Amino acid sequence: MAPTRLRRGMAMAGAGLSATACDLARFGELMRREGEWSGRQLIPASVLHDVQRGGDPTKFNYTTLPGYRSQWWVTQDELGTFLGRGMHGQVLYVAPKAGGGALSVAPGSGELR
């Protein structure tokens, strides 16, 4: 697969994951389960805990989603929610304490309201 190109022909490195909706949903479930899948630890749980902590809120001034860490937006809500957001409005919503998540792949502006 060819990389996504910007207008000037340069490869875009900040986005461009190509996956099916089913693959993204499975990835969200892997994240919700702290990296464990079918009895195997595929991602160290410590990595997921680091994501869920989010960044330093004193250095991050974005009111809609108060944290960002390792390519994930972190809500700091009671469900431990964190989100992966695509450049065309896709959202992978992971809520570990709710026992689930959601995926939206509909094209949109990318704005989360």
Side-chain angles (χ1 to χ4, degrees), residues 46-83:
S46 61
V47 170
L48 284 292
H49 297 158
D50 184 61
V51 166
Q52 292 170 330
R53 264 195 311 277
D56 181 348
T58 64
K59 297 178 180 176
F60 191 80
N61 188 19
Y62 188 78
T63 56
T64 305
L65 295 168
Y68 187 76
R69 182 86 167 174
S70 302
Q71 304 294 316
W72 291 91
W73 295 89
V74 182
T75 67
Q76 306 294 346
D77 69 5
E78 66 278 358
L79 299 176
T81 305
F82 53 100
L83 302 95

Side-chain angles (χ1 to χ4, degrees), residues 10-29:
M10 296 177 63
M12 182 174 54
L17 174 68
S18 180
T20 67
C22 288
D23 288 339
L24 286 174
R26 280 191 284 271
F27 184 67
E29 179 63 5

Side-chain angles (χ1 to χ4, degrees), residues 82-97:
F82 53 100
L83 302 95
R85 297 175 63 191
M87 67 182 199
H88 297 295
Q90 309 92 329
V91 179
L92 176 57
Y93 174 93
V94 181
K97 293 178 184 170

